[in-house]
Amino acid sequence: PILMSSDGGVYFNTRNTSPACQTPAWEQPNVTPHGLWLFGMDGANIPNDPMAENLYFGAQDDGTFATSNAGASTPSWTNVDCCDSFDFAANPGRVLYTMCCFNPGGNFLFSRGNGLSGGGQVNTPPGGLAGFRFPDVIDKFGSDRYVAVGGNGTFISITAAINWATQLGAATSPVNACSVQASGPFNNPTFIVQAGTCSGSSQDRLFRYVGTTANGNWQQINPPGGVGGFGIFAVDQNNPNRILASHLRAAGPEMVITTDGGTNWSTMPLLDALMTGNGNFRYQNSRGPTNFTGFGGYVQPTLVAFDPNDANTLLAGGSDSGIFLSRNNGTSWTTVTNNSGPPQNPVIPRPHFAYFDRECGNFNIYIGTQGRGVWRIRYLDPDRDRLKECLSNCAAIFDNCVSKGGRPGNPTEAQCEQFFLQCRHRCQACP
């Protein structure tokens, strides 16, 4: 038989006799080595259902994928587009993402509905949008509110029809801005931009911009001691002063965290040890695979993230060393997998993306990788007792509401039921 491999997998020629085999008909076996290389991932919550959850990702070559039952043991996926897809910013009813490659224009921006339904191409910011990098060049900061790093600067759109009408701080715009994250309330957000290569292995810079007016100033966030730069970073969606990052310097990488916007940084030696597998992996190598055919070396840290549902939960991942979880704001860390290979420690290589879901007494963390698709971490919510107490309070509120029914000015029974359902939702309960 004639075999062929590509970055989409391994194929065999179904025509195995001459001369027909000279015009091959390729088929992919049901079980074959695959390399599902994610370049973007995000999700949107479907409340009060442990199985229903919107999850989207974009892959090298294979295009865009969506599922509405990400909590299931075997989610059902829809593959909408072909080719290379990158940045995702998802809300419950809408998802923005980028696709490559088009002529002219290169990387285009698309908006579709729930599950990648309908929609189509929308406006890109001036200067276009870059692709083929892991950090996002678009992010959301509320319903129908988005920020994007384009070739001509950082722009926001605050209307349902995507319209990049406002450029943020044009006079002080960071040079070579390559990714952006948003934090804080939608009406007064903070944007953190990374400037450099966004490869994770170069000493990049971070800049901060507060608010949505055009005439503000970008302010640089200095690295610890004013030395080196940042490889990867994450900002807490609820608190822009909390930043978790890899600090790259001549002395070697280290993991750092700040709670005051970068005025002071704390080192994280326990996480450093996990990132190197306690010395089994070099924190930074000089010869190792980078994107595509490059072999210029890389650093271990590829993923850091804050759980927006729980301020104490932090996630980190290494290129070779595994996935690590902290439930106490980085004081201690648990090894989710050390990538050694057996079922209890599966190989989850080069993690770059995380999406968090908390409901029905469980935490779910979805991990997107470069090469092995999407993985899910699930563990019990330690606040399950609080959930029971919250639900009990909702029932008492409902009983009290109904007892007043029929009196002028008091809620109807239907209104009481609505209040009860809203209370359950605040408890993060399920039907």
Side-chain angles (χ1 to χ4, degrees):
I2 301 175
L3 301 178
M4 180 269 290
S5 65
S6 73
D7 53 5
V10 175
Y11 295 78
F12 66 93
N13 184 9
T14 59
R15 298 170 179 170
N16 54 17
T17 59
S18 182
C21 62
Q22 304 303 316
T23 55
W26 299 105
E27 183 174 323
Q28 190 170 33
N30 292 328
V31 179
T32 178
H34 285 74
L36 190 56
W37 178 334
L38 269 65
F39 262 123
M41 191 185 81
D42 199 10
N45 183 46
I46 300 176
N48 300 333
D49 190 324
M51 298 295 104
E53 194 72 18
N54 287 333
L55 192 67
Y56 306 91
F57 72 82
Q60 165 74 13
D61 285 343
D62 296 322
T64 59
F65 292 80
T67 181
S68 59
N69 65 336
S73 58
T74 305
S76 302
W77 293 97
T78 299
N79 180 206
V80 176
D81 307 289
C82 79
C83 311
D84 307 310
S85 182
F86 312 109
D87 320 274
F88 277 77
N91 280 311
R94 184 182 201 177
V95 57
L96 260 63
Y97 62 93
T98 60
M99 282 284 298
C100 181
C101 295
F102 301 90
N103 187 21
N107 203 25
F108 284 3
L109 182 65
F110 289 79
S111 172
R112 299 195 189 277
N114 185 31
L116 293 176
S117 60
Q121 185 185 343
V122 294
N123 296 320
T124 56
L129 295 168
F132 296 100
R133 60 168 63 116
F134 297 105
D136 283 338
V137 297
I138 58 174
D139 199 7
K140 58 185 182 291
F141 59 100
S143 179
D144 289 327
R145 290 173 172 248
Y146 301 93
V147 59
V149 173
N152 291 353
T154 305
F155 295 80
I156 59 171
S157 173
I158 58 174
T159 59
I162 301 299
N163 183 6
W164 306 103
T166 302
Q167 181 177 2
L168 301 178
T172 56
S173 182
V175 177
N176 296 325
C178 52
S179 77
V180 62
Q181 294 184 31
S183 175
F186 75 91
N187 58 348
N188 189 36
T190 296
F191 305 108
I192 308 294
V193 158
Q194 184 172 358
T197 69
C198 284
S199 67
S201 295
S202 63
Q203 296 181 9
D204 291 354
R205 298 168 298 152
L206 295 181
F207 294 85
R208 176 191 297 107
Y209 191 97
V210 179
T212 58
T213 60
N215 57 356
N217 291 315
W218 289 94
Q219 297 178 330
Q220 185 169 352
I221 301 172
N222 292 318
V227 174
F230 299 99
I232 58 172
F233 82 100
V235 58
D236 185 341
Q237 293 181 19
N238 303 306
N239 182 353
N241 287 321
R242 299 181 72 213
I243 303 172
L244 176 60
S246 62
H247 177 212
L248 308 185
R249 63 213 168 122
E254 63 176 355
M255 302 305 298
V256 293
I257 190 170
T258 179
T259 58
D260 56 14
T263 301
N264 297 284
W265 293 91
S266 298
T267 57
M268 310 180 79
L270 295 179
L271 183 54
D272 289 331
L274 293 174
M275 280 288 183
T276 63
N278 291 310
N280 288 321
F281 302 102
R282 290 187 176 184
Y283 223 155
Q284 182 170 7
N285 60 41
S286 58
R287 294 289 291 170
T290 55
N291 286 353
F292 303 105
T293 59
F295 214 74
Y298 58 89
V299 299
Q300 277 298 319
T302 58
L303 172 66
V304 286
F306 291 95
D307 186 344
N309 308 297
D310 179 12
N312 288 316
T313 298
L314 312 179
L315 187 75
S319 181
D320 308 302
S321 52
I323 304 287
F324 317 108
L325 182 69
S326 174
R327 298 299 314 281
N328 53 14
N329 196 30
T331 300
S332 61
W333 291 84
T334 298
T335 299
V336 178
T337 177
N338 62 12
N339 282 354
S340 56
Q344 67 271 24
N345 278 294
V347 178
I348 305 179
R350 289 169 166 76
H352 289 282
F353 309 100
Y355 169 67
F356 299 86
D357 172 47
R358 181 187 190 183
E359 58 191 331
C360 306
N362 289 294
F363 279 91
N364 294 296
I365 308 176
Y366 299 88
I367 307 293
T369 74
Q370 178 188 351
R372 290 206 73 193
V374 180
W375 296 72
R376 181 180 57 231
I377 303 167
R378 174 173 289 164
Y379 55 94
L380 293 179
D381 188 341
D383 289 337
R384 290 169 75 95
D385 292 339
R386 179 201 58 79
L387 172 61
K388 295 177 182 178
E389 181 181 352
C390 182
L391 293 175
S392 178
N393 291 337
C394 291
I397 292 171
F398 175 75
D399 291 340
N400 183 57
C401 180
V402 171
S403 69
K404 298 177 181 178
R407 302 178 189 177
N410 287 318
T412 65
E413 184 170 348
Q415 289 174 322
C416 291
E417 291 177 354
Q418 185 63 30
F419 295 155
F420 175 68
L421 293 176
Q422 291 172 349
C423 183
R424 284 181 63 91
H425 177 63
R426 289 192 295 272
C427 293
Q428 299 173 324
C430 293

